[in-house]
């Protein structure tokens, strides 16, 4: 239906007094028609049945209007378990000049993001997660200066993260996890950025000390190939409440002041962090995982206030502080994994009963474990290190 026939159609409706809604801009009307033609319900979905262009498009499922313009497009049934949609995102999406919000529920949307998205100058929210979007992230997304949330997670995107995205001044959430992105992490300049989730990609390179803003509250970079030290960067991010840098190749020290941040879950395992770890005060983070690194020195008693503590597979030496034993026997510590280090003692009675809800593993250290406890299968069967590994 072209613009002239649509206008005649609306006039006829007025004359018949059937029209009880505002007249949608003809350009938006035609754009919705093109978008509809490129999308289909997956089996079990009846979402697009309401898209009957003989009625008011502003009453279509997922279409929201202000005056005569479409301002939000939320495509697909948002209820959990709904099948979703399939097809491509038509380039006509760029004709919706007043669009501020675009989301598509999980489904089987495929193809690349249309370059026409750059025309949506007022777009604030873009979320197309758990679909099959492929190709590169358009560099032109950096022209959407009002964009606040960018969620393209769980797709098949390749290439790098455009540096232009990092320059967007109003960004608060960037979620690009579970794709096939490569290259470096660009600097993010938005002082309102609170969440950055890039886990499960193939990102590489190092992070500069001032590449991320101190406004960050949640940072997830796990399962990448990132390298280099991050101690200066982390020391600045004092609003963090979630941090996961696991399964990378980060090096250097872990800053002591990190443990005083309001973090609820700290995941730094399986990197190459090194040196001693010295929190400045008792650690109140419920779960701390520093396992499978190259950390050394004595274990700080400041960690005895942690509920779930993973220090296994490092180079820690000396005696385990007595405060750990006290809290373990009172069931204040739920998990204490110290296996595969170079520890030489722990003051605990061989007849001590470890609470059922607590778990302790001491094997493969430079001592015979004074108590027999169940350890994870991955800890192996050897109870102590060979003597030649414990000299000096």
């Amino acid at each position: 239906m072209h613009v002239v026939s649509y206008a005649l159609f609306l006039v006829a409706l007025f004359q018949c007094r059937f029209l009880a809604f505002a007249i949608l801009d003809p350009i938006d009307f035609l754009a919705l028609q093109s978008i509809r033609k490129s999308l289909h319900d997956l089996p079990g979905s009846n979402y697009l049945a309401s898209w009957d262009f003989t009625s008011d498009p502003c009453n279509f499922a997922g279409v929201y209007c202000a005056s005569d313009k479409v301002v939000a497009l939320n495509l697909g049934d948002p209820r959990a378990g709904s099948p979703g949609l399939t097809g491509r995102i038509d380039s006509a999406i760029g004709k919706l000049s007043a669009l501020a919000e675009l989301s598509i529920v999980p489904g089987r949307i495929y193809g690349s993001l249309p370059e026409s998205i750059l025309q949506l100058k007022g777009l604030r929210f873009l979320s197309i997660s758990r679909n099959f979007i492929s190709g590169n992230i358009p560099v032109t997304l950096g022209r959407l200066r009002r964009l606040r949330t960018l969620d393209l997670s769980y797709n098949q995107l390749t290439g790098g993260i455009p540096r232009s995205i990092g320059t967007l001044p109003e960004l608060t959430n960037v979620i690009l996890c579970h794709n096939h992105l490569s290259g470096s992490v660009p600097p993010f300049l938005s002082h309102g950025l609170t969440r950055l989730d890039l886990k499960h990609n193939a990102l590489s390179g190092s992070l500069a000390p001032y590449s991320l803003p101190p406004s960050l509250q949640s940072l997830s970079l796990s399962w990448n190939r990132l390298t280099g030290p991050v101690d200066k960067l982390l020391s600045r991010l004092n609003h963090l409440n979630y941090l996961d840098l696991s399964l990378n190749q980060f090096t250097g020290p872990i800053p002591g002041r990190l443990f005083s941040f309001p973090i609820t879950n700290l995941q730094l395992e399986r990197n190459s962090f090194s040196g001693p770890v010295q929190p400045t005060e008792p650690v109140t983070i419920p779960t701390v995982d520093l396992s499978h690194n190259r950390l050394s020195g004595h274990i700080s008693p400041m960690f005895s206030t942690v509920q779930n503590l993973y220090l296994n597979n490092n180079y820690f030496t000396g005696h385990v502080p007595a405060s750990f034993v006290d809290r373990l026997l009172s069931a204040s510590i739920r998990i204490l994994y110290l296996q595969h280090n170079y520890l030489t003692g722990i003051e605990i009675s061989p007849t001590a009963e470890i609470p059922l809800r607590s778990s302790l593993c001491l094997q493969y250290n430079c001592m015979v474990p004074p108590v027999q406890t169940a350890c994870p299968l991955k800890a192996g069967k050897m109870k102590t290190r060979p003597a030649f590994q414990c000299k000096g």
Side-chain angles (χ1 to χ4, degrees):
M1 183 181 295
H2 53 74
V3 176
V4 174
S5 59
Y6 172 55
L8 292 174
F9 162 72
L10 291 179
V11 170
L13 284 177
F14 267 124
Q15 290 174 341
C16 295
R17 298 186 179 182
F18 291 151
L19 192 61
F21 47 83
I23 303 174
L24 184 64
D25 184 291
I27 294 176
D28 284 30
F29 183 91
L30 293 175
L32 289 177
Q33 279 194 323
S34 297
I35 292 166
R36 170 63 185 88
K37 289 176 182 177
S38 68
L39 298 175
H40 309 280
D41 283 304
L42 284 170
S45 173
N46 198 34
Y47 176 80
L48 292 172
S50 70
W51 284 47
D52 176 3
F53 285 89
T54 63
S55 61
D56 181 8
C58 294
N59 289 330
F60 292 177
V63 177
Y64 301 89
C65 302
S67 185
D68 64 340
K69 304 292 289 183
V70 176
V71 295
L73 208 52
N74 305 136
L75 299 175
D77 189 339
R79 292 177 295 184
S82 297
L85 305 173
T86 186
R88 294 177 176 269
I89 304 172
D90 194 273
S91 61
I93 195 78
K95 299 293 185 181
L96 300 175
S97 57
L99 198 67
E101 180 175 325
L102 172 60
S103 67
I104 302 178
V105 302
R108 292 187 173 274
I109 303 298
Y110 55 87
S112 59
L113 289 173
E115 289 284 346
S116 60
I117 285 181
L118 71 90
Q119 300 172 33
L120 305 176
K121 302 300 184 184
L123 195 67
R124 294 193 297 270
F125 184 91
L126 176 58
S127 175
I128 308 173
S129 178
R130 297 180 186 272
N131 279 278
F132 291 83
I133 301 296
S134 59
N136 294 346
I137 300 174
V139 175
T140 49
L141 283 184
R143 299 183 189 178
L144 304 180
R145 308 304 289 176
R146 298 185 64 186
L147 194 64
R148 296 178 182 175
T149 292
L150 175 63
D151 184 356
L152 301 176
S153 58
Y154 293 89
N155 280 290
Q156 298 179 359
L157 294 166
T158 54
I161 301 173
R163 291 181 68 89
S164 60
I165 290 178
T167 67
L168 293 174
E170 297 186 20
L171 273 181
T172 58
N173 299 281
V174 177
I175 310 166
L176 301 175
C177 59
H178 290 270
N179 279 287
H180 306 291
L181 299 171
S182 57
S184 60
V185 178
F188 284 88
L189 306 180
S190 170
H191 294 294
L193 187 66
T194 58
R195 181 182 180 187
L196 179 61
D197 189 346
L198 306 178
K199 64 178 177 282
H200 283 268
N201 279 289
L203 299 168
S204 59
S206 58
L207 301 175
Y210 294 93
S211 60
L212 301 177
S215 56
L216 270 177
Q217 298 176 16
S218 177
L219 176 60
S220 183
L221 301 176
S222 63
W223 289 88
N224 280 288
R225 303 168 188 170
L226 298 166
T227 58
V230 289
D231 52 314
K232 292 180 180 179
L233 172 65
L234 293 180
S235 294
R236 296 177 50 252
L237 306 182
N238 60 346
H239 289 96
L240 283 174
N241 56 48
Y242 180 86
L243 177 61
D244 187 355
L245 304 183
S246 61
L247 290 123
N248 279 286
Q249 300 163 28
F250 289 120
T251 57
I254 298 173
R257 71 184 301 254
L258 175 68
F259 300 97
S260 63
F261 295 168
I263 299 172
T264 57
N265 195 314
L266 178 60
Q267 306 286 335
L268 300 181
E269 70 271 18
R270 296 186 182 275
N271 280 283
S272 296
F273 289 116
S274 59
V277 187
Q278 299 294 335
T280 56
E281 57 189 62
V283 180
T284 58
I285 303 170
T287 297
V288 173
D289 194 341
L290 308 182
S291 64
H292 295 273
N293 278 288
R294 298 176 181 178
L295 301 170
S296 59
H298 289 200
I299 295 175
S300 170
M302 297 296 182
F303 282 119
S304 65
T305 48
V306 176
Q307 293 179 11
N308 305 294
L309 182 62
Y310 303 84
L311 299 180
N312 53 287
N313 295 82
N314 278 289
Y315 296 91
F316 288 114
T317 57
H319 278 61
V320 179
S323 53
F324 280 92
V325 177
D326 297 337
R327 291 185 59 81
L328 181 69
L329 296 180
S330 67
S332 298
I333 294 178
R334 300 295 181 85
I335 295 175
L336 181 57
Y337 282 177
L338 303 176
Q339 68 271 19
H340 286 257
N341 278 288
Y342 293 81
L343 300 169
T344 52
I346 181 172
E347 298 299 326
I348 186 171
S349 170
T351 60
E353 294 187 7
I354 307 297
L356 292 177
R357 59 182 181 177
S358 297
S359 180
L360 169 67
C361 186
L362 294 169
Q363 71 185 50
Y364 210 67
N365 276 286
C366 295
M367 62 177 174
V368 176
V371 289
Q372 299 303 311
T373 58
C375 285
L377 290 176
K378 292 182 179 180
K381 296 181 179 180
M382 295 186 67
K383 296 297 181 181
T384 63
R385 281 189 178 276
F388 74 88
Q389 293 185 7
C390 297
K391 292 180 179 179

